[in-house]
Amino acid sequence: MTAETLPFADWLRLREPADAAARAEDLVDVVRPRLTGETPTLVHDLGSGTGSMSRWLAARLPGPQHWVLHDRDADLLARAAEGMAGVTAADGAPVTVSTRCGDLTRLTAADLADGALVTASALLDMLTAEEIERVVAACADAGRPTLFALSVTGRVRLTPADPLDAAIEAAFNDHQRRTVDGRRLLGPDAVAATAAAFARRGVPVRERPSPWLLGPEQADLTAEWLQGWLGAACEQRPDLAGPARAYAERRLADAAAGRLTVLVEHRDLLAGG
């Protein structure tokens, strides 16, 4: 089965409201008191994409802020910087932004040492074990709180249930763990690997659930997510392509009619907060 999917920047824009609703705000409450001191507060956002995390979190932190957005995609960075225009802090203080294009998995503690906080969203599951070790080492050695949001766990629940749900979920998760250009991605194993890497360095970690809860009001996002989920599963297991066609028709019809709800589990992680 193949599916027409949105360009990546449009996908990020479509999912932004669901991301905002899902992130664990109590972890922000934990880290906020740690950010008093130097003005403006400098935050490094890793894999910033179109800037969803920076827009969400800047408005929840007090005082003047400067965000440094890191990504390897210059076009996404330009969109992110543009999207930060007009964003202010929780108390109305100004928020400024700069961008750095490059491989964020090669950042060092020295690159992050000027920041008060390191953040990322929907990033960890796209990294390898070696890359996570490097990112964790840079954050831990810099001695800054690190907030990683919205990493997938691999668990999905669709209501009403369907006999094909479990096979598609398993195939999708295997796809998330695939090897790409010699890189074996961690996918749903990334949160546990990240927590363990911080623990080995003596950095305490808090975890919270941050699920997407998709109902009739998110029908467009549900349909786009579903097609991507099915497409990845069928790429991993081509034998599912035939059954998945009828499955997709049923599920998309249910989503369009407001009969389908989807829970997509994620985890948020705060290290050193």
Side-chain angles (χ1 to χ4, degrees), residues 63-229:
Q65 301 164 41
H66 181 74
W67 284 72
V68 182
L69 310 182
H70 300 260
D71 206 288
R72 66 174 66 211
D73 188 316
D75 179 63
L76 290 180
L77 282 173
R79 290 171 183 254
E82 182 179 353
M84 288 290 284
V87 173
T88 58
D91 55 3
V95 175
T96 58
V97 63
S98 59
T99 62
R100 295 183 190 174
C101 189
D103 184 352
L104 62 89
T105 72
R106 297 294 179 180
L107 294 171
T108 67
D111 295 318
L112 304 176
D114 59 347
L117 174 67
V118 179
T119 68
S121 186
L123 170 69
L124 298 178
D125 43 274
M126 297 190 292
L127 302 181
T128 69
E130 294 78 12
E131 289 165 348
I132 281 179
E133 285 291 336
R134 293 200 298 267
V135 170
V136 168
C139 296
D141 292 348
R144 301 296 184 261
T146 302
L147 178 61
F148 289 137
L150 293 172
S151 297
V152 296
T153 70
R155 291 183 289 276
V156 174
R157 185 169 71 246
L158 295 93
T159 305
D162 186 283
L164 204 56
D165 290 348
I168 294 171
E169 179 183 294
F172 176 83
N173 289 338
D174 287 343
H175 184 270
Q176 295 300 94
R177 298 182 179 102
R178 71 195 184 281
T179 299
V180 181
D181 297 329
R183 299 170 58 247
R184 186 181 182 280
L185 309 181
L186 279 180
D189 305 320
V191 172
T194 303
F198 274 114
R200 285 193 296 274
R201 292 167 173 81
V203 180
V205 171
R206 295 175 173 87
E207 291 186 40
R208 297 289 188 274
S210 52
W212 275 359
L213 301 172
L214 308 182
E217 297 79 11
Q218 296 83 24
D220 288 347
L221 176 58
T222 300
E224 188 67 26
W225 168 84
L226 182 67
Q227 291 179 83
W229 190 59

Side-chain angles (χ1 to χ4, degrees), residues 5-29:
T5 57
L6 287 174
F8 188 55
D10 293 336
W11 162 247
L12 295 179
R13 187 176 299 109
L14 179 63
R15 64 176 284 174
E16 186 166 348
D19 288 349
R23 292 188 185 100
E25 296 218 27
D26 65 320
L27 292 182
V28 180
D29 296 337

